[in-house]
């Protein structure tokens, strides 16, 4: 069935087709439509599911942990401040080894209420033990939510999965998507499975005090679970292609990379912009290609090594920043390919708070890098001081004068 | 020199998480915490069951037998016994 | 229910990490006896996280999920929603009891939002606050439940404020069942748990839990101090359902005139956390304030009781 709808509504379709049985979520722009659509599905009898209208995101994740621990497939959706608010429980959900899927609509962090896209929210949740998958299209959102349950419930993984997609660009825009048949989704995704649950016939206690002598192995086991997720992500992508037909790459997706000596690396919808930049650079005679990181955690170390070692230059685009260092993806790409090949790695930090990432700007900067006119450190190519900044600054300067600050 | 075990011969860590199994003596024989020991005079006991229900450690059976393996010697049973059938005595610890 | 009719089976297993004379384990024992094996337990960060013993053996013989500090009500919402699904699917013949066990810090302070949300949604579960009137686990800091004038490690001259009353806040939520309980009155406590088990919706039970190291009294006195709290009117036993409050056990006897209020001074003297009210000098003012509040509450309740007996059936909320 073909449908034209928003990215948010297609995320809801993913949960519906995955036969999710408990949803607990709290509204936040730009995620709200996900849960509105799910409650509509439930009200209209199209989805057989308990919906818990919790009073905060912290509680949304607590309820998810409760329902998944009972052995029931669970789903949530959030964004930016909501994700930050539930941070403590992101650690808990992964640490206690529960399979579940949550959508995060990537949105900028306040202050300055900004409901537009960047990746800062999910980057700050990077080290919680969650698998993080980034989508670049509406179709990929729907397909990835379903795939995420396969990955999460894989016995070698048993960890929660966060499906990330960009605010507004994907969440609120309308696109046509092929909605797969329930029958095929059922063939792809067996009923919920996990490695433990709260069982009346076999009482176990989960998550009590644990001493230094025992703790490290628990964390290593999580580390291995994420490691094993690499295989699970590949298998899910391939089997999904075989059964349902769509394919968006596995750990990464590539574009015109085969004969390239220069690669762009990006995540999310920005990668589509990068495809145009690649075409433009190719037209100018540069042999450019694109690697879109689809799985940010686990990080595609082997793929990047293989793909990037022949390059002479790599341009990493970050839609977020690790303050006091550089773009986080930039650091990680450098670390992954260290000692493999001799590409010089460049960094653009751009598109924060929903600012447009223009393909011509990306192309121009990449060209500058290739021509040796740019330093391989963090560049903020879209910065400019506008009249708005000036009005604000003048007001503040008046205040400083009055207070004798300057 | 003994040969070091090769990495891949070691037991695989696999799925290890913070799951605990239920069991008595979860921190060992807590009787060793005791300084004073409750001693029951069966002749005085009227089987009111108050010590049974008040013992925080479930160390007194319903037929009023004290489990000295786990009794922590808190003294609640002696304090609450209405017939003064339990008294706390300084415990002589064997090495 | 007489003591001899209480089930023999222990779901709290001996040899735990609880302190000598711990009120938490004592309360767990009675609650587990009343609720039985068909119970899913969620333990909120507190002394109970510790006293169940560390990995890999647990004193809790029920399926147990330990959870973060602020999550009691919300976790229950997830547990109970999943249990409903499992009943609908036929995996469970009957729905198990969902039991959340939290301290006063996890209830009065950091967890009140999640609890309030769950109560407003009438989440089907029993919430227990075992109230040892401080953050015992982190070394006895004040909580919203710490009484006026009590020493804690961050109110070293005695707390300046009066405690709040979450049981009454739960009454104001209109949940189907609210009860308070005392360790010294196990049959009353057992009856309240057994009753709560049969009710659907949010049920709140708060147990006063005198903590020997935190309150600074000998471990043998846990039950004695709990009893004095009721006898002095510092802790009141009641249950609230269908819009009506019924006082029970020791509190009922005082209201009905069968026993007299114990001077609160005796209760305070039994605990080191009030020592500064007696030495170096007796603090008549603060002791008087505490006694004054209790007198006011009980005079009103006794008056209402007499009115009910002699004139008409009216219901007054207890003054605070
Ligand atoms: C978010 C968070 N903040 C602080 C803590 C530290 N902490 C653990 S238990 C506790 C106090 C618990 O007090 P209470 O709920 O009264 O239980 P008790 O220890 O008295 O049994 C605190 C502050 C925590 N675990 N989580
Ligand atoms: S001394 Fe305490 S632990 Fe020992 S039997 Fe008596 S009440 Fe139980
Ligand atoms: S500090 Fe108090 S409540 Fe905590 S385990 Fe010890 S006696 Fe029990
Ligand atoms: Mg406490």
């Amino acid at each position: 069935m073909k449908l034209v709808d928003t990215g948010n509504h297609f995320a809801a379709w993913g949960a519906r087709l995955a036969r999710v049985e408990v949803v607990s979520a709290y509204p936040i722009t730009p995620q709200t439509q996900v849960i509105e659509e799910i409650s509509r599905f439930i009200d209209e009898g199209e989805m057989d599911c308990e919906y818990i209208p919790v009073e905060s995101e912290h509680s949304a994740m607590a309820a998810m942990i409760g329902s998944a621990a009972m052995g029931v497939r669970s789903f949530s959706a959030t964004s930016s401040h909501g994700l930050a608010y539930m941070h403590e429980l992101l650690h808990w959900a992964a640490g206690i080894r529960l399979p579940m899927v949550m959508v995060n609509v990537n949105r900028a962090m306040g202050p300055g209420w900004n409901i537009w896209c960047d990746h800062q929210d999910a980057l700050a949740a990077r080290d919680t033990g969650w698998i993080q998958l980034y989508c670049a299209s509406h179709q990929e959102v729907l397909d990835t939510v379903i795939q995420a349950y396969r990955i999460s419930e894989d016995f070698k993984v048993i960890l929660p999965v966060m499906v990330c997609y960009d605010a507004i660009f994907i969440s609120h825009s309308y696109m046509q998507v092929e909605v797969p048949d329930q029958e095929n989704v059922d063939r792809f995704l067996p009923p919920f499975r996990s490695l433990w649950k709260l069982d009346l016939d076999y009482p176990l206690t989960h998550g009590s005090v644990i001493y230094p002598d025992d703790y490290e192995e628990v964390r290593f086991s999580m580390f291995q679970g994420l490691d094993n997720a690499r295989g699970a992500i590949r298998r899910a992508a391939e089997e999904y292609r075989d059964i349902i037909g769509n394919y968006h790459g596995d750990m990464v997706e590539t574009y015109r990379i085969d004969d390239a000596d220069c690669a762009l690396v990006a995540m999310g919808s920005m990668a589509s912009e990068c495809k145009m930049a690649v075409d433009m650079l190719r037209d100018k005679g540069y042999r450019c290609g694109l690697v879109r990181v689809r799985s940010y955690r686990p990080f595609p170390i082997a793929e990047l090594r293989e793909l990037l070692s022949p390059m002479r230059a790599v341009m990493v685009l970050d839609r977020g920043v690790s303050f006091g260092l550089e773009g986080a993806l930039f650091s990680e790409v450098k670390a992954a390919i260290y000692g493999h090949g001799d590409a010089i790695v460049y960094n653009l930090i751009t598109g924060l708070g929903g600012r447009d990432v223009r393909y011509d700007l990306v192309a121009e900067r990449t060209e500058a890098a290739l021509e040796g006119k740019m330093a391989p450190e963090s560049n903020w190519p879209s910065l400019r001081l506008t009249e708005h900044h000036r009005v604000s600054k003048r007001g503040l300067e008046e205040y400083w004068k009055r207070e004798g600050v300057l | 020199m003994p040969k070091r075990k090769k990495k891949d011969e070691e037991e695989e860590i696999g799925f290890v998480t913070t799951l605990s199994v239920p069991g008595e003596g979860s921190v060992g024989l807590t009787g060793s915490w005791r300084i004073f020991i409750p001693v029951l005079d069966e002749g005085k006991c009227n089987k009111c069951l108050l010590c049974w229900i008040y013992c925080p450690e479930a160390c007194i059976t319903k037929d009023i037998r004290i489990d000295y393996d786990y009794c922590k010697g808190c003294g609640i049973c002696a304090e609450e016994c209405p017939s003064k059938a339990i008294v706390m005595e300084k415990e002589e610890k064997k090495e | 229910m007489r003591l001899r009719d209480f089930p023999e089976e222990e779901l709290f297993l001996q040899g735990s990490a609880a302190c000598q004379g711990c009120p938490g384990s004592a309360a767990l024992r009675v609650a587990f006896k009343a609720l039985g094996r068909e119970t899913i337990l969620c333990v909120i960060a507190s002394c109970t996280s510790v006293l169940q013993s560390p990995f890999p053996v647990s004193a809790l013989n029920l399926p147990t999920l330990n959870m973060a500090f602020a999550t009691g009500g919300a976790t229950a919402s997830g547990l109970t929603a999943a249990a409903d699904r499992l009943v609908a699917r036929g995996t469970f013949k009957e729905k198990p009891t969902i039991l959340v066990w939290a301290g006063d810090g996890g209830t009065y302070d950091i967890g009140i939002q999640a609890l309030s949300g769950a109560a407003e949604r009438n989440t089907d579960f029993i919430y227990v606050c075992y109230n040892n009137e401080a953050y015992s686990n982190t070394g006895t800091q004040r909580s919203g439940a710490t009484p006026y004038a009590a020493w804690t490690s961050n109110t070293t001259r005695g707390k300046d404020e009066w405690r709040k009353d979450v049981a009454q806040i739960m009454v104001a939520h209109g949940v189907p069942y609210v009860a308070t309980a005392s360790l010294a009155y196990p049959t009353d406590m057992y009856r309240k748990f057994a009753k709560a088990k049969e009710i659907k919706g949010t049920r709140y039970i708060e147990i006063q839990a005198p903590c020997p190291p935190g309150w600074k009294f000998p471990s043998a006195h846990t039950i004695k101090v709990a009893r004095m709290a009721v006898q002095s009117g510092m802790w009141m036993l009641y249950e609230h359902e269908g819009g009506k409050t019924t006082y029970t056990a020791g509190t009922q006897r005082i209201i009905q005139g069968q026993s007299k209020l114990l001077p609160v001074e005796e209760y305070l003297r039994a605990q080191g956390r009030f020592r500064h009210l007696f030495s170096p000098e007796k603090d008549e003012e603060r002791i008087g304030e505490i006694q004054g509040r209790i007198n006011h509450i009980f005079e009103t309740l006794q008056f209402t009781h007499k009115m009910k007996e002699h004139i008409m059936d009216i219901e007054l909320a207890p003054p605070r």
Side-chain angles (χ1 to χ4, degrees):
Chain A
M1 173 178 60
K2 282 196 179 3
L3 260 185
V4 176
D5 213 331
T6 62
N8 279 337
H9 283 180
F10 287 122
W13 266 101
R16 168 177 163 172
L17 289 166
R19 296 191 184 278
V20 163
E21 286 192 272
V22 172
V23 172
S24 83
Y26 191 76
I28 182 167
T29 308
Q31 150 269 31
T32 319
Q33 298 171 339
V34 181
I35 58 174
E36 285 172 345
E37 185 71 348
I38 287 177
S39 18
R40 190 180 69 76
F41 286 154
I42 295 170
D43 290 346
E44 294 178 5
E46 292 166 352
M47 201 173 162
D48 190 10
C49 174
E50 295 278 332
Y51 178 83
I52 311 172
V54 282
E55 79 301 326
S56 78
E57 285 87 357
H58 197 271
S59 287
M61 189 42 60
M64 281 266 278
I65 292 170
S67 57
M70 291 289 286
V72 169
R73 191 171 281 158
S74 307
F75 178 81
S76 189
T78 192
S79 179
S80 70
H81 287 257
L83 188 67
Y85 198 54
M86 63 171 70
H87 189 89
E88 176 193 29
L89 296 177
L90 296 178
H91 286 277
W92 206 276
I96 209 158
R97 302 304 290 274
L98 284 173
M100 59 173 79
V101 173
M102 179 170 69
V103 149
N104 179 61
V105 186
N106 292 111
R107 167 188 150 180
M109 293 298 299
W113 292 115
N114 179 306
I115 56 156
W116 291 272
C117 166
D118 71 37
H119 296 164
Q120 198 72 34
D121 54 357
L123 296 181
R126 184 187 70 178
D127 298 330
T128 53
W130 281 62
I131 292 162
Q132 278 193 11
L133 307 176
Y134 284 73
C135 304
S137 71
H138 291 53
Q139 183 74 55
E140 189 178 4
V141 169
L142 189 157
D143 296 337
T144 306
V145 168
I146 297 167
Q147 290 177 17
Y149 281 102
R150 265 290 292 272
I151 300 160
S152 181
E153 293 166 16
D154 188 304
F155 280 171
K156 287 212 165 315
V157 179
I158 306 292
L159 283 166
V161 180
M162 194 184 296
V163 176
C164 300
Y165 57 87
D166 289 347
I168 314 299
F169 299 122
I170 293 183
S171 69
H172 281 66
S173 67
Y174 283 79
M175 290 288 242
Q176 179 173 291
V177 160
E178 174 70 41
V179 176
D181 293 340
Q182 183 70 61
E183 205 181 300
N184 284 339
V185 175
D186 290 345
R187 276 208 293 144
F188 171 76
L189 182 66
F192 181 83
R193 2 181 265 167
S194 185
L195 285 176
W196 71 278
K197 66 174 192 283
L198 295 168
D199 193 330
L200 292 166
D201 298 328
Y202 198 91
L204 293 171
T205 291
H206 211 328
S208 52
V209 171
I210 183 161
Y211 289 151
D213 258 357
D214 303 320
Y215 181 78
E216 228 167 78
E217 288 67 24
V218 171
R219 303 306 272 186
F220 181 72
S221 177
M222 284 170 69
F223 183 82
Q224 278 194 324
L226 267 134
D227 209 16
N228 297 339
R230 299 172 207 282
I233 290 166
R234 263 180 234 120
R235 280 194 299 279
E238 281 157 20
E239 282 181 40
Y240 197 88
R241 178 180 53 195
D242 295 346
I243 296 174
I244 292 162
N246 303 326
Y247 184 75
H248 312 277
D250 41 42
M251 297 289 290
V252 296
E253 185 197 31
T254 56
Y255 178 70
R256 299 184 81 168
I257 201 77
D258 287 344
D259 64 334
D261 66 359
C262 158
L264 296 176
V265 180
M267 299 198 296
S269 64
M270 190 162 69
S272 315
E273 209 71 16
C274 288
K275 283 185 186 171
M276 295 204 271
V278 164
D279 292 343
M280 198 167 163
L281 286 159
R282 288 251 170 196
D283 288 346
K284 286 189 163 183
Y286 297 104
R287 282 190 291 135
C288 266
L290 168 72
V291 181
R292 176 171 73 89
V293 172
R294 194 169 169 257
S295 170
Y296 181 55
R297 284 293 179 278
F299 199 63
I301 302 174
E303 289 79 359
L304 291 178
R305 276 183 192 160
E306 191 193 319
L307 292 165
L308 301 183
S309 57
M311 302 293 160
R312 70 185 166 100
V314 174
M315 174 63 86
V316 181
L317 279 85
D318 270 287
R319 201 159 205 155
V321 53
S322 177
F323 292 103
L325 185 60
E326 56 201 8
L329 185 61
F330 175 52
S331 301
E332 294 172 13
V333 168
K334 283 191 292 183
I337 65 172
Y338 179 75
H340 298 261
D342 25 48
I344 303 174
V345 190
Y346 299 87
N347 187 204
L348 298 181
I349 293 175
T350 185
L352 305 192
R355 185 164 298 181
D356 248 355
V357 178
R358 286 185 2 245
Y359 66 91
D360 52 340
L361 184 78
V362 174
E364 178 204 307
R365 286 298 158 139
T366 308
E367 191 176 355
L370 289 169
E371 298 302 329
K373 292 183 196 143
M374 194 173 124
E377 56 201 31
S378 289
N379 292 273
W380 295 59
S382 37
L383 293 181
R384 70 260 190 285
L385 212 58
T386 66
E387 189 49 29
H388 290 182
H389 298 122
R390 285 192 203 96
V391 169
S392 168
K393 274 182 92 165
R394 277 198 297 272
L396 190 54
E397 277 157 9
E398 285 300 310
Y399 173 70
W400 290 342
K401 236 182 273 165
R402 209 190 68 162
E403 296 290 308
V405 174
L406 289 180
Chain B
M1 275 251 295
K3 261 195 8 211
R4 277 182 67 189
K5 226 175 162 190
K6 270 196 8 232
K7 189 99 180 146
D8 55 15
E9 284 170 16
E10 278 168 22
E11 198 180 345
E12 213 198 304
I13 300 279
F15 188 80
V16 176
T17 183
T18 57
L19 276 164
S20 295
V21 294
E24 288 181 354
S26 42
V27 289
L29 296 175
T30 47
S32 64
W33 299 13
R34 224 168 27 231
I35 296 169
F36 293 94
I37 183 165
V39 179
L40 172 72
D41 180 344
E42 284 190 42
K44 287 189 182 169
C45 169
N46 68 7
K47 305 265 193 259
C48 69
L49 295 178
L50 284 173
C51 61
W52 170 66
I53 201 65
Y54 284 143
C55 171
E57 206 52 37
C59 283
I60 304 180
T61 57
K62 221 173 169 181
D63 54 356
I64 317 299
R65 256 176 253 284
I66 301 172
D67 188 332
Y68 292 114
D69 282 348
Y70 297 114
C71 161
K72 293 173 177 170
C74 69
I76 288 178
C77 52
E79 178 72 29
E80 293 301 324
C81 175
S83 341
K84 302 265 170 282
I86 305 177
V87 289
M88 300 302 290
E89 292 175 1
K90 181 99 198 221
E91 184 168 9
E92 302 292 328
K93 293 247 171 167
K94 289 170 278 193
E95 274 312 295
Chain C
M1 188 80 148
R2 294 162 309 177
L3 280 183
R4 80 173 60 111
D5 301 323
F6 282 24
E8 197 164 350
E9 189 184 28
E10 294 295 344
L11 295 170
F12 182 85
L13 305 174
Q14 50 184 187
S16 76
C19 303
Q20 290 163 313
C22 172
S25 47
L28 284 166
R29 279 191 65 213
V30 177
F32 288 178
K33 282 185 189 298
L35 297 177
R37 273 192 178 275
E38 301 290 301
T39 304
I40 306 265
L41 175 63
C42 169
V43 173
I44 297 307
S46 63
C47 273
T48 311
S49 323
V50 180
L51 67 83
Q52 61 183 263
S53 299
F55 178 87
V57 190
S58 169
L60 303 170
N61 200 7
L62 287 173
T64 302
L65 179 65
N66 281 282
M67 271 298 269
F69 206 10
T71 64
T75 309
S77 295
L79 293 170
T80 202
D84 284 338
R85 296 296 310 170
L86 295 169
V87 171
R89 270 205 245 138
T91 312
F92 286 159
K93 281 196 197 70
E94 268 180 59
K95 189 173 172 184
T97 304
I98 307 295
L99 174 66
V100 168
W101 196 273
D104 49 300
T107 304
Y108 279 62
D109 299 339
I110 199 167
I112 194 168
Q113 172 182 314
L115 171 60
S116 173
E120 187 265 332
R121 297 188 296 272
N122 200 21
T123 294
D124 186 23
F125 79 123
I126 300 178
Y127 188 105
V128 173
C129 169
Y130 77 104
N131 180 358
N132 53 18
E133 301 182 355
Y135 296 176
S136 292
N137 181 45
T138 40
T140 325
Q141 293 79 34
R142 82 191 281 288
S143 80
T146 304
Y148 176 65
W151 168 95
T152 65
S153 67
N154 58 357
T155 57
T156 51
R157 289 155 197 249
K159 190 184 173 196
D160 288 334
E161 303 81 16
W162 298 84
R163 61 168 282 232
K164 58 176 160 174
D165 189 339
V166 171
Q168 286 301 309
I169 293 174
M170 284 299 109
V171 168
H173 277 72
V175 298
Y177 188 70
V178 175
T180 57
S182 163
L183 290 176
Y185 300 83
T187 45
D188 181 67
M189 176 148 89
Y190 186 99
R191 187 184 60 75
K192 286 168 176 168
F193 271 98
K195 185 190 246 183
K197 186 181 172 181
E198 303 307 321
I199 296 172
K200 253 191 101 61
T202 302
R203 293 141 281 168
Y204 177 86
I205 300 179
E206 182 163 336
I207 307 165
Q208 196 210 25
C211 158
W215 298 15
K216 305 196 182 305
F217 59 79
S219 62
H221 292 178
T222 302
I223 304 297
K224 185 175 119 179
V225 170
R227 187 179 299 114
M228 290 170 91
V230 173
Q231 290 172 335
S232 65
M234 276 292 270
W235 186 251
M236 289 172 42
L237 296 176
Y238 61 86
E239 54 191 337
H240 183 95
E241 47 182 335
K244 272 198 165 201
T245 299
T246 312
Y247 293 90
T248 65
T251 305
Q252 186 187 46
R253 287 197 280 280
I254 301 167
I255 293 170
Q256 296 183 349
Q258 290 142 353
S259 52
K260 272 205 155 64
L261 271 177
L262 180 80
V264 78
E265 196 180 318
E266 288 186 38
Y267 171 69
L268 302 175
R269 264 191 203 281
Q271 306 163 51
R273 65 173 171 158
F274 294 109
R275 187 176 300 128
H276 54 283
L277 298 182
F278 301 98
S279 104
E281 257 158 54
K282 194 164 165 190
D283 189 338
E284 300 283 3
E285 194 184 322
R286 282 198 279 181
I287 298 169
E289 277 180 84
I290 298 168
Q291 188 66 65
R293 281 214 170 197
I294 294 172
N295 292 348
H296 175 62
I297 291 167
F298 276 84
E299 277 159 20
T300 313
L301 288 170
Q302 283 162 344
F303 176 75
T304 319
H305 175 69
K306 285 211 184 88
M307 293 263 286
K308 263 194 195 162
E309 271 195 331
H310 299 298
I311 308 170
M312 56 182 179
D313 195 13
I314 61 162
E315 192 60 43
L316 285 186
R320 287 287 134 189

